[in-house]
Amino acid sequence: MAVYTDVTEPELAEFLCRYDLGGLSSYKGIAEGVENSNFLLRTTGGTYILTLYEKRVNRSDLPFFVGLMEHLAEGGLSCPLPVHDRDGNALGELSGRPAAIFTFLDGMWTRRPSPYQCRAVGAALARMHESAKTFGLTRANGLAPCDWRPLYESCAGRADEVEPGLSAEIEAELSDFEAHWPQDLPKGVIHADLFPDNVFFLSGELSGLIDFYFACNDLLAYDLAITLGAWCFEQDGSYNVTKGRALIAGYASVRPLEEEEYDKLPLLCRGAAMRFMLTRLYDWLNVPDDSFVTKKDPREYLKKLRFHRGVRDASEYGLEKAAVTKGMA
């Protein structure tokens, strides 16, 4: 369960006194999430989400995350809206942790996405990118390509414990990324973690996006690559070209790609797979089994990395350039 900090009823009741949300009715921990402590909060005034920010989240980043959600919600994107206390503050302190209350977003995440849902996710990601153009704050990506080698080196040469020869494979990939990673593609605020459990659906339709705690400024097409990797592979590790076609088409229906973005998509997808493989590798090798952190097998993303390495042209993801680039979409 993703509840790392316990909250007592008296503490929470006192915290709620700062808000115009009514009295405390009930609260319970939410199982999803690996970074923060989340609670389903019910008051006499309604249902909300209470989040306590844990040690993996930098306090100085919180105004960016909270401000971004407010900005996106005000622009019409469905996402949790921070609730302000009577003094106008969206952030407070509870049980020794920074804390915030958010509006409740109705819906459920899907474990087996359909092509229709993939298209909806692609369009929602593009709407987020477009809406965030006018957001005034910035945040550097803490897991950018320049951070991948130090992250790998923090695994202390133990990658071969996961699979023989993995260290040499990672070294070769990192050298290639360092030499060829694009620098001049369109940039903006990206979600950077738009996995299926961060997208809600209600009655078959997308009802909103959640969990913006990896959001940062980076290449927009890299965010598309992350999302493609998260949504368009089956449980056996195979790429589903129908889902990929739908997701990319959905994105391009809102924000057509630059031609160079399309051309660099295989490289960006490889990089996205490397980023998630490395963070999983680090946790797999360094986090104790009895830790609260949920460890995920890095070999899932190693298999995706190898698939992307074999892609020679972005059309292999499902759509020809003319269908998704500017002036042609």
Side-chain angles (χ1 to χ4, degrees):
M1 175 172 281
V3 176
Y4 311 121
T5 298
D6 202 15
V7 177
T8 67
E9 186 173 337
E11 285 178 317
L12 181 52
E14 182 180 354
F15 183 74
L16 283 174
C17 287
R18 309 171 197 170
Y19 296 82
D20 291 318
L21 300 177
L24 175 63
S25 298
S26 67
Y27 69 106
K28 65 177 181 179
I30 298 174
E32 279 79 11
V34 296
E35 295 291 327
N36 303 308
S37 294
N38 296 292
F39 299 85
L40 180 64
L41 172 66
R42 298 187 189 279
T43 73
T44 54
T47 301
Y48 304 90
I49 297 296
L50 168 68
T51 297
L52 274 65
Y53 297 98
E54 300 295 341
K55 294 179 181 179
R56 278 192 169 196
V57 177
N58 191 326
R59 283 178 181 243
S60 64
D61 288 333
L62 293 179
F64 175 88
F65 298 142
V66 173
L68 176 62
M69 283 184 273
E70 285 188 306
H71 178 85
L72 294 175
E74 290 168 0
L77 189 77
S78 181
C79 64
L81 185 64
V83 178
H84 291 254
D85 65 16
R86 293 191 188 91
D87 294 327
N89 300 311
L91 287 165
E93 189 96 6
L94 178 60
S95 299
R97 294 277 186 265
I101 296 174
F102 296 91
T103 54
F104 180 76
L105 191 63
D106 206 1
M108 295 285 292
W109 68 277
T110 178
R111 286 168 172 78
R112 290 182 176 273
S114 67
Y116 179 83
Q117 290 171 321
C118 289
R119 183 181 177 92
V121 167
L125 180 67
R127 285 196 296 272
M128 179 201 147
H129 290 168
E130 290 293 291
S131 179
K133 284 181 178 179
T134 53
F135 182 54
L137 301 181
T138 60
R139 175 180 179 266
N141 186 354
L143 288 166
C146 61
D147 301 297
W148 296 345
R149 186 174 290 278
L151 180 59
Y152 165 64
E153 291 173 348
S154 69
C155 295
R158 297 174 57 203
D160 286 358
E161 294 177 24
V162 174
E163 183 175 304
L166 182 55
S167 293
E169 186 174 353
I170 293 174
E171 286 280 0
E173 286 288 327
L174 289 175
S175 294
D176 191 59
F177 290 134
E178 288 161 357
H180 299 110
W181 193 255
Q183 302 296 327
D184 299 326
L185 299 182
K187 297 178 182 178
V189 177
I190 69 171
H191 187 284
D193 194 39
L194 200 60
F195 278 65
D197 58 350
N198 289 329
V199 181
F200 284 180
F201 290 87
L202 184 66
S203 301
E205 301 298 325
L206 193 149
S207 59
L209 312 182
I210 66 169
D211 200 349
F212 289 81
Y213 302 115
F214 284 100
C216 57
N217 292 77
D218 210 324
L219 304 178
L220 300 179
Y222 175 60
D223 210 15
L224 175 61
I226 291 172
T227 310
L228 197 69
W231 284 80
C232 301
F233 284 82
E234 299 301 325
Q235 291 183 342
D236 64 0
S238 63
Y239 178 72
N240 188 315
V241 70
T242 303
K243 293 180 180 180
R245 181 184 301 117
L247 194 148
I248 298 169
Y251 185 91
S253 71
V254 176
R255 179 188 170 267
L257 297 173
E258 301 277 355
E259 288 196 35
E260 191 175 0
E261 289 181 297
Y262 179 89
D263 292 338
K264 296 295 186 182
L265 194 56
L267 176 61
L268 296 171
C269 285
R270 272 175 57 211
M274 173 62 79
R275 172 261 185 265
F276 284 96
M277 192 269 286
L278 286 176
T279 51
R280 291 182 178 197
L281 179 68
Y282 177 86
D283 285 347
W284 194 261
L285 294 173
N286 293 288
V287 174
D289 289 337
D290 59 356
S291 168
F292 285 116
V293 176
T294 302
K295 297 197 292 185
K296 297 179 180 178
D297 193 335
R299 287 169 291 193
E300 176 190 350
Y301 267 85
L302 176 59
K303 189 171 184 178
K304 294 177 181 180
L305 173 64
R306 289 168 175 167
F307 168 81
H308 294 304
R309 189 189 303 147
V311 174
R312 295 291 173 255
D313 185 89
S315 62
E316 295 177 47
Y317 293 121
L319 281 173
E320 297 294 332
K321 182 186 292 189
V324 295
T325 51
K326 281 191 173 181
M328 303 177 187

